[in-house]
Amino acid sequence: MRFLLIALLTLTALTGCSRFIEYDGPQVTRVIVHKDDRLMYLMHNEEILEAYEFELGFAPEGHKLEEGDGRTPEGEYMIDRRNPNSAYYLSIGIDYPNEEDIAQARARGVSPGGDIFIHGTPRPFRRDDDWTAGCIAVSNRDMRQIYAMVEDGTPISIYP
């Protein structure tokens, strides 16, 4: 009996710590990111469903031009993939680079880079310390919600 109680308590504790949560609210129709304000909005048409603070790449100003520049892209993109085993808790991918980004980088003779994600963080979230290589980092708690709410194929608008 004691073993059964311990097993039940352990299972309950582990279930409560899951990275994955369920979402059954309105569909997120667009993600809007304002880099200067460090605010990201999950939208259902014109309604703000959620707002999140975030951290950026180590060179946060301007559009990403090439691999290794530490900038976060600006423009219109799509959420195109998710990684439940991310080194940064959970992550959802942004389809950077697009054809225009590739053409501009090619004209300069550089790689545009890639692997831009919205992800959690392996360290305490501080908002005032940009550290990623161009990704958008939110707290792990916020990332659980974002991962549950935002589907692949969702448009994302990233503004300066």
Side-chain angles (χ1 to χ4, degrees):
M1 183 65 141
R2 183 175 177 185
F3 174 77
L4 183 58
L5 180 60
I6 291 171
L8 184 59
L9 290 173
T10 301
L11 181 60
T12 302
L14 291 175
T15 303
C17 295
S18 175
R19 290 182 183 194
F20 306 104
I21 61 173
E22 296 291 323
Y23 175 72
D24 64 357
Q27 179 185 15
V28 175
T29 57
R30 177 170 299 282
V31 177
I32 297 176
V33 175
H34 291 278
K35 290 169 51 175
D36 284 349
D37 296 332
R38 299 297 193 278
L39 288 172
M40 176 172 45
Y41 301 96
L42 303 188
M43 307 294 295
H44 174 73
N45 300 321
E46 301 301 315
E47 175 189 359
I48 297 173
L49 298 175
E50 296 289 341
Y52 304 98
E53 295 181 338
F54 58 83
E55 300 162 333
L56 286 174
F58 59 84
E61 295 188 18
H63 175 61
K64 184 164 193 63
L65 297 174
E66 63 185 71
E67 185 172 13
D69 67 7
R71 293 185 176 131
T72 302
E74 296 171 356
E76 300 298 320
Y77 298 94
M78 297 287 273
I79 301 300
D80 68 345
R81 63 201 181 280
R82 53 194 57 245
N83 184 356
N85 300 310
S86 173
Y88 300 101
Y89 193 67
L90 295 169
S91 62
I92 57 175
I94 299 170
D95 71 343
Y96 174 88
N98 60 28
E99 289 180 19
E100 183 178 334
D101 297 318
I102 293 168
Q104 289 180 7
R106 186 173 292 139
R108 289 188 315 280
V110 298
S111 167
D115 286 335
I116 301 297
F117 288 86
I118 299 170
H119 59 66
T121 179
R123 60 184 192 64
F125 182 83
R126 293 190 281 266
R127 187 183 191 238
D128 61 345
D129 185 21
D130 293 318
W131 59 275
T132 76
C135 295
I136 299 166
V138 297
S139 73
N140 292 344
R141 179 180 180 188
D142 290 347
M143 193 61 226
R144 273 194 302 277
Q145 286 185 313
I146 294 164
Y147 194 88
M149 293 175 72
V150 177
E151 298 175 3
D152 290 359
T154 303
I156 179 170
S157 301
I158 306 172
Y159 300 109

